[in-house]
Amino acid sequence: MSLADAKTHMRQAALARRDALARTQGPHAAQALAEKVLMALSGATQGKTIAGYWPLGSEIDIRPTLEALIGAGARAVLPVAMKLGDALIFRRWSPGQAMEDGAFGTSHPTPSAETLTPDVILAPLLAFDIAGGRLGYGAGYYDRTLHDLRTRRRIVYWGVAFDEQQVPAVPMGPTDAKLDGIITDRRIITVEI
């Protein structure tokens, strides 16, 4: 089976599993995730720019996490996908601000929001493994973004998910960016890279 076929097959199963998890664990998992993220960042949030995302479909809701990070002195940003093939840009976000529709059904702050470079990226995913493999939707935005940002500075890249999104191994290609760790609603997994 080719790498593309393996990823497509895993995406289908992972999405169905995540949909079921969101229905049964959604709000509780979102609050538990916020607590775990604050623990994982161990107080090193003051003045940091931390990227989250606006939850799409059954993605674990990271908004309580972003609000807690802002309360701990961080600047929260959300990704903006400009056009296919480009890296993401990140616009500053705060609760209640104006949002606009983006590519692939996403939402992000309007162009009037400040554009910032994150120190930490908290990325959504369909599946993860304990070696830092991340299965996304397949457009490669996070991979391109990490490659671009890491040529200029140190970026910490965490996947965030329901704990049950773990799989034995995510099929990875040479351009797939590995996670520095995974934060779930139940645990913090640091990856040795």
Side-chain angles (χ1 to χ4, degrees), residues 31-179:
Q31 191 56 47
L33 177 68
E35 294 166 12
K36 293 288 188 256
V37 168
L38 289 173
M39 286 173 50
L41 299 180
S42 56
T45 56
Q46 185 68 37
K48 298 286 186 191
T49 300
I50 302 176
Y53 56 89
W54 194 261
L56 177 64
S58 59
E59 291 173 345
I60 194 165
D61 190 351
I62 198 170
R63 290 173 292 190
T65 299
L66 295 175
E67 291 177 16
L69 290 167
I70 291 169
R75 292 179 298 272
V77 293
L78 299 180
V80 180
M82 300 307 277
K83 62 181 183 181
L84 197 58
D86 284 352
L88 298 166
I89 64 167
F90 296 89
R91 293 185 186 147
R92 192 164 187 173
W93 175 82
S94 59
Q97 84 178 72
M99 300 284 281
E100 66 180 14
D101 294 335
F104 310 107
T106 62
S107 296
H108 54 257
T110 62
S112 63
E114 182 180 13
T115 299
L116 298 169
T117 301
D119 300 298
V120 176
I121 295 177
L122 303 173
L125 50 82
L126 289 168
F128 69 89
D129 63 38
I130 60 169
R134 173 189 176 269
L135 184 69
Y137 296 105
Y141 279 106
Y142 280 97
D143 299 315
R144 280 189 301 282
T145 301
L146 263 290
H147 175 75
D148 178 54
L149 292 176
R150 285 183 168 164
T151 62
R152 295 182 271 143
R153 62 188 291 190
R154 168 90 170 112
I155 303 291
V156 179
Y157 183 42
W158 290 90
V160 293
F162 296 101
D163 199 69
E164 293 87 350
Q165 287 179 255
Q166 180 179 340
V167 296
V170 171
M172 298 283 286
T175 60
D176 293 327
K178 286 189 100 175
L179 298 164

Side-chain angles (χ1 to χ4, degrees), residues 7-8 40 43 45 60 64 73-74 90 103 113 132 166 169-170 180-181 184 192-193:
K7 286 184 176 186
T8 297
T45 56
I60 194 165
F90 296 89
Q166 180 179 340
V170 171
D180 294 309
T184 77
E192 299 294 327
I193 297 180

Side-chain angles (χ1 to χ4, degrees), residues 17-36:
R17 182 172 49 250
R18 193 182 69 188
D19 287 348
L21 291 166
R23 282 191 299 275
T24 60
Q25 300 179 23
H28 171 73
Q31 191 56 47
L33 177 68
E35 294 166 12
K36 293 288 188 256

